[in-house]
């Protein structure tokens, strides 16, 4: 059975434990990179990561995105939404369908 984890700063992720997800709080970029690697190698199918750490770990996330698993999904933290998550979804949709379906031909 695949596992799901949430990683990021403690304040942003502690609520996910209440719904049964494994939480991995990290304090800095180096710890986040190690945690991401450990989760990816540990049989996790989905890894949610706060947007602030996702922006710091772009190279590492790109490495893991080459395979089918794990799916690494950015989510807003307590500091708010940076737009990184929606930008990644938009890029994936554009690659899959060959067009920007969110804004269409308007190009906004």
């Amino acid at each position: 059975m695949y596992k799901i984890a949430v990683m990021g700063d403690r304040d942003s992720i502690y609520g996910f434990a209440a719904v049964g997800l494994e939480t991995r709080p990290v304090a800095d970029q180096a710890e986040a990179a190690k945690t991401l690697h450990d989760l990816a190698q540990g049989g996790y199918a989905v890894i949610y990561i706060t947007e602030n750490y996702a922006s710091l770990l772009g190279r590492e996330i790109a490495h893991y995105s080459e395979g089918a698993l794990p799916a690494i999904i950015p989510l807003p933290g307590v500091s708010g939404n940076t737009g990184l998550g929606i930008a990644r979804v938009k890029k994936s949709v554009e690659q899959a369908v060959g067009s920007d379906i969110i804004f269409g031909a308007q190009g906004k």
Side-chain angles (χ1 to χ4, degrees), residues 36-80:
L36 179 62
H37 175 74
D38 292 346
L39 292 171
Q41 299 303 313
Y44 287 81
V46 179
I47 302 169
Y48 291 100
I49 180 171
T50 55
E51 288 179 334
N52 60 328
Y53 280 106
S55 66
L56 296 174
L57 301 178
R59 186 178 324 141
E60 292 86 349
I61 291 171
H63 169 75
Y64 291 113
S65 69
E66 294 173 5
L69 293 176
I72 301 173
I73 303 167
L75 56 97
V78 293
S79 59

Side-chain angles (χ1 to χ4, degrees), residues 51 83-92 94:
E51 288 179 334
L84 179 64
I86 192 67
R88 287 194 60 211
V89 169
K90 184 176 180 273
K91 180 180 176 188
S92 296
E94 286 175 357

